Amino acid sequence: LFSLLLQKWVVFALSAGSSLGCLCCLLGLAVSIGLTLGSQGRALLAPCAVSDITLAPISRECPFDPTRVYVS
């Protein structure tokens, strides 16, 4: 009887913890989408300060190249 009660509380605690983690992730996603839409995407390209487009993909100033098309 005690084991069954303990298992129920453990499952409840794990469920509550995972729900809280999920809500935090959703809140972070909503904030990032809001900031991106609020700045009209300019914040995504703000770190890219390289004027030479050939150096942009390998530069430490631009962590990604948004114009690159990957072909597999």
Side-chain angles (χ1 to χ4, degrees):
L1 182 66
F2 179 72
S3 175
L4 184 61
L5 184 61
L6 181 65
Q7 286 177 350
K8 286 182 181 180
W9 279 107
V10 167
V11 169
F12 174 75
L14 290 173
S15 175
S18 64
S19 296
L20 184 63
C22 180
L23 286 175
C24 290
C25 290
L26 287 174
L27 179 64
L29 181 64
V31 168
S32 65
I33 289 173
L35 289 174
T36 301
L37 292 177
S39 69
Q40 296 168 347
R42 288 188 302 270
L44 293 174
L45 299 175
C48 300
V50 178
S51 59
D52 188 5
I53 193 66
T54 60
L55 295 177
I58 59 172
S59 172
R60 290 191 180 269
E61 294 181 30
C62 189
F64 65 94
D65 181 13
T67 60
R68 175 177 275 172
V69 177
Y70 294 97
V71 177
S72 59

